[in-house]
Each structure stands twice: as structure tokens, then as C-alpha cells.
Amino acid sequence: MLRSGFAFHGLAAALGLALSLLAPAASTTAQSPQGTVRSASPTTPVSLGNPFFRDDGTNTRVALFDALTSLSRDAKLQPALATSWRTESPTTWIFELREGVEFHNGEPLTADAVVATIDFLISPDAAQYFITRYAATIQSARAVDPLTVEFTTHEPDPILPNRLANVSIVAPRAWRELGVDDFTQEPVGTGPFTLQDWGTRTRIVELEAFENAWRPSKSVKRVQLIPLPDSTTRLQALLSEQVDIAVNLDPDSIPEIEGAGLNVIVLPAPHVVTMALRNVGEVSEALLDKRVRQALNYAVNKQAMAEQVLYGLVRVPSQAATPEVFGYNPDLAPYSYDPDRARALLASAGYADGVSLIFGVYSGQTPADTLLFQLMQQDLAAVGVDIELRTLPFPDLLRRIDSGQWGDIDAYSTTLSSAWFGDVSQAIERMSCAYPTPFFCDADVSVLIEQSGQEMNRQKREELLQTVLARFHDLAPALLLVDYSAITGTLPHIQNYRARSNGVQFEEIILAE
């Protein structure tokens, strides 16, 4: 099998950083002291405790907050702070709340608390926040009784319960009295853990189990979230037992983890690793031609990536969604690896002599992504497409995605995800004019997307979504690489490891004796 030739580049320096970061939390035994779990992840919490910014993937939000609903790892909608929901009309939803839930500061969860969160999100004061878009269809919310909330939407919204899985409910008195800035430093939710330290000195975020949580921690009393950007560093920290959990590892690490007698957990997720090909704003004229975008898809050997680099743990995608997600189109096939066809398409578009493009990439977020980007670059070079890979720090990538300010970058790495909705509409929106800062826009497809967004009949809506995906298959707004599977390593005493679409469920972990 093809192995990453870059796995141990700079290892000494990286491991030195890991050791310095982990020094306050290091343990000489496999079991963490006093019920503590030490988890290594790629980044620090970019948005700290503000629940309305983009989720930063560090597992803090799922630990601190809850929404009315939640989505499982395989994108299935589940109860959370709400136990049930129903429609009373195409624009009216009723949610029944869970009894006996309290916030970290003792405030009770009531319908008024939910209404306060929604009122903020639909107000002008919240316009700057990423999560606001998931409440955009809501016209109003009102308390019917202490545990019942009625939502009225501007137009029919068939997936409002799915959208609300991303809207964390905050303690209203704490939010009002602290204000946004102080609440960000001292967040108050209903999650199974409370914040103890943002790690301003050590960079290690400390969480403590909340005794009165409605989903209480089974065994873990304390969580330490340790930022180690490099996957090799995370692996070495795990092998040396300086962390109990290491997430987002590369497939190459699996034999080493198993050989050390540790646990490997592979969790497929509804994400597709892609390069977003821009046709909005100042961008290369070549990408405005769908023949060029199609050529890029034909030029890259994705099957080799899936089988040789990722050990067959992932699939080659045919569309911007995975088969588990509602709206997936089973009639679409992946672009084949066909360099000759890629060259012919480039020539027909006027680029027989080649073309140069700039791709902005963030590495370390998905398994072996650095190697995948380099193999993509090599395959594209073989058909005359010269790619400059420009590395973007994670905060810079998020800033550019949210602002739409890409400068001379023609395409960028991202994951087209259905995890936040459990529905292909999330990925579809990312590739459309409907997104607040779109990278791709096609007016005809936008009409179909708008129709699917208001169709309350499940079968008709599924057909519309599948039609949209078929149109996108032809338009090729993204260079689809591979589906995503998260690879996690744990020490043997970590049992009952669980993860939802938005993070690790530390409260479900059982620490073995």
C-alpha cells in the first residue's frame, strides 16, 4: 500500500511542542487521574463559549450546550431539550420541552428561555453570527405554557427541527446580565460539563462534570481538551499515554495503535472532502467554464486515494452527500479517473496548453488530507493544470468562508457536510446562490433549491433534492475527493466511546478500572 511519505516530517519539533503543552496534564499511567479524560484535537476553541459562532470542532459546544434536537453520527434526528415536535400548519411547529432541566447556574429550562434565545437570534443584534442562518426561517416563537413552544415560520420549512439541532439554548438571565463578551468567557448552558478554564496560560481547556445535568456523565469527572494541530503529534501523545483520546488521526496510524494494544475507532460521517471551485467574485476565468470544472474531477484518481491512502475506509463520492442522508441520489455515479477525457475537456474550453490555479488548503482537519491534496496536485499537473497549494491557518480559512473574501485564491478545501441537518439541503446550500457568502452560484438551480426548501411533502421534496444533485453533478461546482471517516485512537481504559455529529460525547464514556 502507498504510505504517507510526510508522516514523520518535523516530528522532533512537533513532539517537543506536544510535550510542552501536555506537561501540566501528563500522567505516568494509562488511566487518567481522578476520572480525568485528556483529549487531543487539531485546534483550540476559536469562538470560545459563544454558541452562535461557527462550531470550531473542538468538542466544547456539545459538552457545554444543548439544542432542542440533536443529530446522531449517521445524521438521524433525535430528541434533546425537546422530547417531541409536530406541525399544526405548514408554517406552525409545536415543541414540547423536557421536564426538570436546569442550566449550569441553576436557571430552569422553560419555554420562556427558549423564546429568549430565538428572539435574540432573529433580532438585528445577531446578524453577525453564523448560527443566525439556521433560525432565518423563524418569524416568531412564543411560550404556549411553561414547557411548550410554538414556532411560526415566514414560509413552510420542512426541516425546522433539523435546523434547531444547531441552535444552542442559553441561560437567559446569564446572557442578559453578562452580555455577549463576558458570556463568551463564562458560558452557561445545560450540557453535561461546565467550563473551568479556557487555557489562556497552558492552552489546555478544562471542563468539569455538571452534577445536575439531564444527560449526566457516567464516569468522567473532568475533561482536558488539548490542541495538537499535527496528526502525528496527536498519535505520539497517545502512544506515550500523555492523552487518553486522539481524534482525526491518519489511516497510517492504525497498525501502530493496534500494535500498542490501544483502541482504534473508525466512524463514518456525512461529510465529503472537497475543493470548492469558485465562480463567484474575482476568480480565474477558467473556473467559469463547467468543462474545466469537470476536467478537474476526471483528472484526479480518487479511487487510489480511497484504497491506497485511506485503506478502503472511505468511499469515492458521486455527489456532495453520503448514502445515509435524506435526499441522496442513488442514480449518480462518481466521476471516473480519465486523464484523457480531462485533457480533451480542457482543450475544448481553450486550455490545451494548460492553466494555473491557486488552491487554498487547511491541513490536519480530515485524515491524511495533506497527502490527498499533494496527490491531487500531482494528478492535475499530469493533465496540464498547475496548482499552487497555499496553506491557510484554520481561523483564516473560517474568516474567508464567512466573509467570502478570497483574494487571488481560486478554490479552497472544505467538507460539504450534511451533519448539521441530516439532510442534503445543507450541502446543496453551500454550493448555491442561497448561501450568505457563496463560492458557486447558478440561478436555475437556485429556483429548484428554493422549491425544495418549502416543500412539506416528503416524497416530492426528496425528488426535488435528487434533481438538484443531478444538476450539480453536471455543473461540477466542486472537486469531490473522498467521503470522510473519523479515525480516533484511545487508551484501553476508555470504553463506550460515542460521538454525535457535532462532537465527542464525553458523558457516555466509561473509565474502566
Side-chain angles (χ1 to χ4, degrees), residues 232-276:
T232 300
T233 309
R234 294 194 294 276
L235 171 63
Q236 294 305 316
L238 178 71
L239 294 174
S240 60
E241 300 188 1
Q242 294 184 82
V243 298
D244 305 289
I245 299 171
V247 304
N248 287 12
L249 298 175
D250 290 337
D252 276 356
S253 66
I254 291 177
E256 202 166 353
I257 297 170
E258 293 179 335
L262 309 184
N263 301 326
V264 175
I265 301 157
V266 180
L267 296 175
H271 307 295
V272 179
V273 181
T274 73
M275 296 300 307

Side-chain angles (χ1 to χ4, degrees), residues 304-373:
M305 291 179 174
E307 294 178 357
Q308 299 176 8
V309 178
L310 295 169
Y311 294 85
L313 300 174
V314 300
R315 297 162 294 202
V316 174
S318 62
Q319 56 203 279
T322 57
E324 300 80 11
V325 175
F326 182 80
Y328 178 85
N329 189 333
D331 296 330
L332 300 178
Y335 275 80
S336 60
Y337 175 51
D338 193 338
D340 290 337
R341 189 168 184 181
R343 293 186 188 94
L345 283 166
L346 289 169
S348 69
Y351 298 98
D353 295 330
V355 62
S356 296
L357 299 169
I358 299 173
F359 283 10
V361 297
Y362 171 72
S363 297
Q365 192 69 8
T366 57
D369 52 10
T370 298
L371 180 56
L372 296 184
F373 298 148

Side-chain angles (χ1 to χ4, degrees), residues 66 80-81 98-103 107-110 190 212-214:
D66 291 296
L81 294 181
R98 191 178 297 275
E99 293 186 41
V101 177
E102 67 176 63
F103 291 94
E107 291 183 62
L109 173 74
T110 64
T190 58
N212 295 330
W214 69 272

Side-chain angles (χ1 to χ4, degrees), residues 104 191 220 261 299 363 459 465 493 497:
H104 300 152
V220 176
S363 297
Q459 181 177 346
L465 292 173
H493 72 284
Y497 178 91

Side-chain angles (χ1 to χ4, degrees), residues 384-420:
V385 180
D386 179 52
I387 298 295
E388 175 191 338
L389 289 180
R390 186 175 296 175
T391 301
L392 301 175
F394 190 59
D396 185 35
L397 177 68
L398 291 185
R399 179 189 65 78
R400 291 174 184 269
I401 290 175
D402 290 342
S403 68
Q405 297 176 357
W406 291 100
D408 59 352
I409 293 174
D410 300 302
Y412 62 90
S413 64
T414 188
T415 53
L416 293 174
S417 174
S418 301
W420 285 24

Side-chain angles (χ1 to χ4, degrees), residues 6 10 24 78 132 190 279 330:
F6 311 93
Q78 300 174 329
T132 300
T190 58
N279 77 345

Side-chain angles (χ1 to χ4, degrees), residues 17 38 43 63 95 98 137 189 196 261 310 314 388 413 446 458 488 502:
L17 173 61
R38 303 155 299 170
T43 182
F95 283 73
R98 191 178 297 275
T137 63
Q196 297 301 303
L310 295 169
V314 300
E388 175 191 338
S413 64
S446 293
R458 184 176 175 86
T488 298
N502 58 346

